[in-house]
Amino acid sequence: MKPLNKRVFQLLVKNTRQLNSSNVSSSVNHTIAVQERIKEKRKDALLGGGQKKIDAQHARGKLTARERIQVFCDEGTFSEYDMFMEHTCTDFGMENMKFTGDSVITGHAKVNGRPVYLFSQDFTVLGGSLSSVHARKITKIMDQALLVGAPIIGLNDSGGARIQEGIESLIGYSDICTRNVLASGFIPQISLIMGPCAGGAAYSPALTDFTFMVEDTSYLYVTGPDVIKSVTNEDVTHDELGGSKVHTTMSGVAHNSFKNDVEAILQVRNLLSYLPQSNKEPPPLRICTDPVDDDVPFLDSVIPYNASDPYDMYDIIYAIVDEKEFFEIMPRYASNIIVGFARLGGRTVGIFANQPKVAAGCLDINSSLKASRFIRFCDSFNIPLVSFVDIPGFLAGTQQEFSGIIKHGAKMLYSIFEATVPKLSVITRKAYGGGFATMSSQSDITYGWPTAEVAVMGSKGAVSVLYRGNDNMTEMENDYIKKFSNPFPAAVLGYIDDIIEPRTTRWRLIRDLELLVSKKVKLPTKKHGIIPM
Ligand code: HXC
């Protein structure tokens, strides 16, 4: 190659230097500008709908979406996704109403040291309404939760489908609800309702396993009071229409309510401590500080001498479970049955128990629905079931029959007979008729206390059928009581595995659970059963 002329060489070097320095400075400037933009956008995202809206949120006694995440997650564990997404709607002047991150914050974190996926809807941005982008943020974390096998928690505060987006937002709900269904029975899904949740914002939570509400600030309805007024001309307040009292005592849509945002969030953390990450895992074991081998003498004196006197089933539950901790589900709805999570020797159990103090512990439509859903949840997530039985049967009467007690009661039969997890039963007093079948007949181990009675029905009903028209009904009834008002007829035939002193119940159940942990049941292959809906 011919050597370069010295002057040409010097010129070339000079030009190259100039060129590089201008390139460097423009790329440095570009980087600084991008970083500034990221900073700005992050700041925008942290402010949601702006300080005024945040102040309004606080004035209602509500935390912001980000504050809720902070309370919910183990410190410093929240990783946010899609902070920079913005809605894409251009109708109704929406092109000038963009908010960084749109109306939901999504990501994953740890709770009690275990991973969870979560979304927190931001009411300060367009009422937390669901745009297609909002939906995509949520479905992304749902898809990951399904891949990883970790619970999904929704902190809901949303006016439902974003009206300006039309079909796009409706499709967003279909996408979310599809995943709710896919996740059902595979990973736990918990919804906290923390504001006025309308339309799809009510339906998606209804597909999850547990829905909890915050008192006085959260509402669930298909359409809010304004829309109702315009459609039917009815005047109704948010609270009357879909407040926590309505849904925890009347409709049964919500599983419990709590006083404020912080209490509600902490209670969801507490609930998660009982649950496995997915149906592929056993529930977590916790170190038990209560004695596991000791008698509980108090139990010997709980059942009243008079067989028709009520007593409080909570006394029995709290005396038996670890550390007197019982996470009750639907405490104010259908209180004739009690359901909830507890631990025995550190293992999570699902308890369902008749409450003799309410409707004598009869099963009716609402209590059957309440218990069925709980039993199916426990069975899906490998949580052993323990029943405490004192039931005179299904509630008699035209109102129940006309409303379909047969099909609704059948849901409970279906759920308990379908369940393959370990099942333990303790008959504390009555186990009559359908009540026995539903509450304990399919258990792996059934205990009877000395006060147990297993019979087709109570003495009055039985005698009225057997000896209709007979003058000496009292004598007949006494004979019936003598025969069936004790645990022997069932024990003699092996339907009660043992008659035990009540004081020994706790340690027996703990030992049985340890034994049954390896229980395996093979069901016939099928797509799914057809529960009587
Ligand atoms: C767009 C909405 C919105 C929505 C509220 N906003 N809901 N924007 N789409 N769905 C906006 C309001 O315009 C307002 O914006 C801000 O959010 C706060 O709302 P307010 O009405 O000021 O608050 P509040 O008085 O507390 O009432 C909250 C509310 C009410 C009860 C949720 O906004 C309401 O009734 N919204 C409509 C609810 C509804 O019917 N949704 C159903 C959609 S249908 P500015 O800019 O003024 O702050 C649906 C079907 C899905 O979801 C089906 C799936 C299966």
Side-chain angles (χ1 to χ4, degrees):
M1 200 205 295
K2 200 175 159 196
L4 276 176
N5 170 309
K6 195 176 170 197
R7 218 174 71 83
V8 171
F9 179 76
Q10 280 168 346
L11 253 172
L12 244 176
V13 169
K14 193 175 160 209
N15 283 349
T16 310
R17 278 199 189 126
Q18 269 174 1
L19 199 73
N20 278 348
S21 81
S22 82
N23 255 1
V24 166
S25 74
S26 94
S27 80
V28 165
N29 286 344
H30 176 73
T31 307
I32 290 171
V34 169
Q35 278 173 351
E36 281 304 314
R37 189 144 172 246
I38 294 170
K39 238 200 255 169
E40 272 310 296
K41 286 281 175 193
R42 275 194 203 284
K43 216 166 108 192
D44 286 349
L46 294 182
L47 264 185
Q51 194 55 50
K52 247 191 179 159
K53 298 269 183 193
I54 292 175
D55 293 344
Q57 179 88 344
H58 286 157
R60 289 190 182 108
K62 293 161 67 179
L63 297 179
T64 64
R66 286 188 184 279
E67 288 164 347
R68 288 167 178 163
I69 290 175
Q70 220 176 343
V71 177
F72 181 61
C73 304
D74 293 353
E75 204 179 334
T77 63
F78 179 59
S79 295
E80 184 168 349
Y81 289 171
D82 298 327
M83 185 191 239
F84 303 107
M85 280 182 94
E86 290 176 355
H87 74 71
T88 50
C89 180
T90 51
D91 295 324
F92 300 101
M94 289 296 280
E95 60 271 41
N96 303 318
M97 291 243 276
K98 300 248 182 192
F99 296 88
T100 312
D102 206 47
S103 48
V104 68
I105 299 155
T106 58
H108 62 81
K110 287 197 169 163
V111 168
N112 309 318
R114 298 186 299 161
V116 297
Y117 284 83
L118 69 144
F119 66 86
S120 181
Q121 292 175 318
D122 187 350
F123 193 80
T124 69
V125 176
L126 302 165
S129 56
L130 186 127
S131 62
S132 59
V133 157
H134 178 138
R136 270 171 45 214
K137 286 180 75 169
I138 292 180
T139 52
K140 185 190 275 188
I141 58 136
M142 292 180 91
D143 287 341
Q144 279 203 7
L146 282 160
L147 286 174
V148 167
I152 301 171
I153 316 301
L155 308 178
N156 297 269
D157 194 352
S158 166
R162 183 159 307 157
I163 295 163
Q164 297 90 330
E165 286 205 11
I167 180 72
E168 292 258 42
S169 52
L170 293 183
I171 293 289
Y173 270 123
S174 303
D175 290 342
I176 292 172
C177 291
T178 303
R179 284 158 179 85
N180 284 137
V181 174
L182 288 176
S184 178
F186 174 51
I187 47 179
Q189 303 180 81
I190 303 174
S191 301
L192 239 176
I193 310 301
M194 313 190 82
C197 291
Y203 273 122
S204 170
L207 289 171
T208 64
D209 301 315
F210 297 108
T211 301
F212 300 108
M213 297 182 74
V214 181
E215 284 158 25
D216 304 323
T217 52
S218 78
Y219 312 99
L220 276 169
Y221 27 62
V222 176
T223 50
D226 293 345
V227 179
I228 289 201
K229 177 76 182 162
S230 69
V231 176
T232 67
N233 206 28
E234 277 175 288
D235 282 308
V236 64
T237 65
H238 290 280
D239 216 35
E240 289 163 350
L241 184 63
S244 64
K245 193 164 168 209
V246 169
H247 289 309
T248 56
T249 64
M250 283 163 62
S251 72
V253 164
H255 295 90
N256 206 353
S257 64
F258 303 104
K259 288 213 160 9
N260 53 50
D261 282 14
V262 173
E263 191 192 330
I265 290 169
L266 296 181
Q267 286 297 343
V268 172
R269 283 179 59 94
N270 186 17
L271 171 58
L272 281 167
S273 74
Y274 290 92
L275 309 182
Q277 292 291 92
S278 75
N279 70 345
K280 301 275 175 259
E281 292 179 14
L285 260 177
R286 198 174 76 172
I287 291 165
C288 173
T289 53
D290 275 351
V292 294
D293 295 316
D294 290 3
D295 284 352
V296 183
F298 161 78
L299 291 169
D300 287 345
S301 56
V302 177
I303 308 295
Y305 282 114
N306 185 343
S308 50
D309 281 355
Y311 60 92
D312 196 342
M313 189 58 92
Y314 287 108
D315 291 341
I316 293 177
I317 294 172
Y318 280 104
I320 287 176
V321 301
D322 291 358
E323 282 122 29
K324 302 204 177 334
E325 283 178 4
F326 180 50
F327 191 96
E328 190 171 0
I329 301 294
M330 303 180 98
R332 290 183 288 281
Y333 180 83
S335 325
N336 38 339
I337 198 149
I338 301 167
V339 305
F341 299 103
R343 293 184 185 86
L344 281 169
R347 290 179 203 281
T348 300
V349 289
I351 290 178
F352 62 109
N354 310 115
Q355 171 57 293
K357 271 179 76 174
V358 180
C362 274
L363 274 175
D364 58 2
I365 290 172
N366 290 348
S367 55
S368 300
L369 295 175
K370 171 177 165 178
S372 313
R373 186 163 169 170
F374 179 73
I375 289 166
R376 292 199 103 208
F377 177 87
C378 291
D379 188 45
S380 293
F381 290 103
N382 313 315
I383 297 172
L385 289 160
V386 177
S387 63
F388 294 103
V389 185
D390 186 352
I391 174 166
F394 279 93
L395 187 62
T398 50
Q399 188 264 333
Q400 288 285 307
E401 296 286 352
F402 294 168
S403 306
I405 178 90
I406 295 173
K407 73 175 175 200
H408 296 301
K411 288 178 184 140
M412 180 135 175
L413 289 165
Y414 193 109
S415 310
I416 193 67
F417 296 163
E418 176 192 45
T420 57
V421 287
K423 292 183 268 190
L424 301 172
S425 288
V426 179
I427 302 175
T428 59
R429 198 167 60 179
K430 297 174 189 123
Y432 290 170
F436 171 70
T438 321
M439 295 293 296
S440 62
S441 69
Q442 291 294 305
S443 291
D444 298 299
I445 302 173
T446 300
Y447 293 120
W449 283 5
T451 41
E453 308 168 16
V454 182
V456 173
M457 61 178 80
S459 58
K460 268 201 173 43
V463 168
S464 75
V465 174
L466 293 178
Y467 307 107
R468 190 174 302 143
N470 199 309
D471 291 340
N472 207 354
M473 288 302 230
T474 317
E475 196 182 315
M476 306 296 179
E477 206 182 322
N478 285 339
D479 279 354
Y480 185 90
I481 290 170
K482 222 182 262 168
K483 176 149 178 57
F484 288 116
S485 292
N486 65 76
F488 288 110
V492 165
L493 295 172
Y495 296 124
I496 286 179
D497 296 297
D498 199 359
I499 302 169
I500 62 169
E501 292 308 312
R503 61 169 61 217
T504 65
T505 308
R506 174 174 155 80
W507 59 257
R508 284 178 194 277
L509 293 176
I510 290 173
R511 286 181 196 177
D512 295 337
L513 282 170
E514 236 176 274
L515 176 73
L516 289 167
V517 86
S518 55
K519 177 185 173 187
K520 289 216 164 38
V521 176
K522 213 161 164 33
L523 293 175
T525 311
K526 56 185 166 181
K527 189 171 175 191
H528 53 69
I530 300 130
I531 191 161
M533 300 285 188

